[in-house]
Structure formats: structure tokens, C-alpha cells
Amino acid sequence: MTQPIVNQPGQVPAPISGVPDGLETLTNLDQFLIKKQRNCIELLTKRILQMPNKYIIQDSSEQQLSLAVEESEFCNRQLKKRNRAFKMHIKDQAERNVIEIERTGIACCAKQEEMTVRAPLTGEILGFVRMDLFFCIPPKLTICDKD
């Protein structure tokens, strides 16, 4: 069962022992929603011109918890599309960078790709997301801890 979130937008939650700074809000959740923000330039160009992605992360009652912002190179977005390298910065409600997800890019014939998840404030690796790729099947994601 989801616990109510007692922090107001922009308020920094109280520290919890053993939990990296900025991730305290996630300890009360059993699920969360990720919603992509639409980009006007992509809509106007019918997605021919790719822009960095932005996502809103919400709890099950659709209260915003954080924001995820892609950092990637313009040419990679246009030429490599879904196979591009990127860093995703996840920011808490106080707009602190609390999680960073990095992907180096996917080789054209790769069967598996790995993204590194780290706490940017400490540099600590929190885990990995492994993506198994098959030609006509949506990718399978496996979330792994740092060990």
C-alpha cells in the first residue's frame, strides 16, 4: 500500500539513514508513473527534429515527485534516434540532481545494452538497467543492484 507523501512541492524531505540524499521520497512508494512531456518543436516537425526528452515522475495519485531531463548531443538525437547515448538527470522537488542514468549508446547489432544508475551527489553506483534487445520485440528491461 502506498504511504501518503508528506512533503510539499519544493520541500526537501528529512534524511533517512542508508538512503542517498534526494531519494527519501521514493522509500514510501510501491509504484510510480513516468509521463513524457510533449515538445512543441517535435510536434511541429512531426518528430523529424528530435529534442531532449523530459519526463514527469509521479506517485500513483499523480502528484509530481520529480523531473527527468535528458542530456544528449544534437547530432546523436538526429542520426542515432533511439540508439543514441545520453545522460538522464532526475531532479527532486528542490531541483537537486538525485539520480543520473547514463547510456553510452547501442551498437547496431547489440543484443544487450546496459545503463548505469548512480547518485550524482556522491558518485556512488546504485545499480544498472539491462536491456535485452530483439529485432521485432519490445526491449526487456531488468533492474539490477550494484552487485
Side-chain angles (χ1 to χ4, degrees), residues 7-136:
N7 296 315
Q8 298 300 316
Q11 182 182 3
V12 177
I16 299 174
S17 177
V19 176
D21 286 343
L23 302 182
E24 299 87 0
T25 304
L26 300 178
T27 61
N28 294 325
L29 300 178
D30 57 357
Q31 67 177 345
F32 57 89
L33 309 170
I34 301 173
K35 294 188 178 181
K36 183 177 179 181
Q37 289 185 320
R38 303 256 181 207
N39 184 291
C40 292
I41 293 173
E42 285 184 358
L43 291 173
L44 291 172
T45 63
K46 298 183 181 179
R47 299 193 60 126
I48 293 171
L49 187 60
Q50 295 282 316
M51 301 304 291
N53 291 306
K54 291 183 182 179
Y55 301 89
I56 295 174
I57 301 170
Q58 303 172 323
D59 64 14
S60 58
S61 64
E62 297 189 6
Q63 176 183 349
Q64 182 173 334
L65 303 173
S66 55
L67 182 68
V69 180
E70 175 186 346
E71 174 189 339
S72 59
E73 292 183 11
F74 179 82
C75 288
N76 271 338
R77 286 194 307 274
Q78 308 320 309
L79 300 174
K80 294 187 177 179
K81 307 278 184 192
R82 294 174 52 184
N83 297 334
R84 68 183 174 272
F86 66 84
K87 277 188 184 178
M88 187 67 67
H89 302 282
I90 300 178
K91 300 174 180 288
D92 66 7
Q93 293 200 13
E95 297 196 21
R96 297 179 301 173
N97 230 9
V98 294
I99 299 176
E100 186 177 90
I101 301 170
E102 184 173 12
R103 182 172 81 178
T104 57
I106 300 175
C108 64
C109 297
K111 293 181 181 175
Q112 187 179 67
E113 177 63 23
E114 185 173 274
M115 294 179 276
T116 304
V117 181
R118 70 173 40 92
L121 300 175
T122 62
E124 175 187 2
I125 292 179
L126 303 173
F128 302 92
V129 178
R130 291 201 174 95
M131 184 168 51
D132 293 319
L133 306 168
F134 301 102
F135 288 103
C136 297

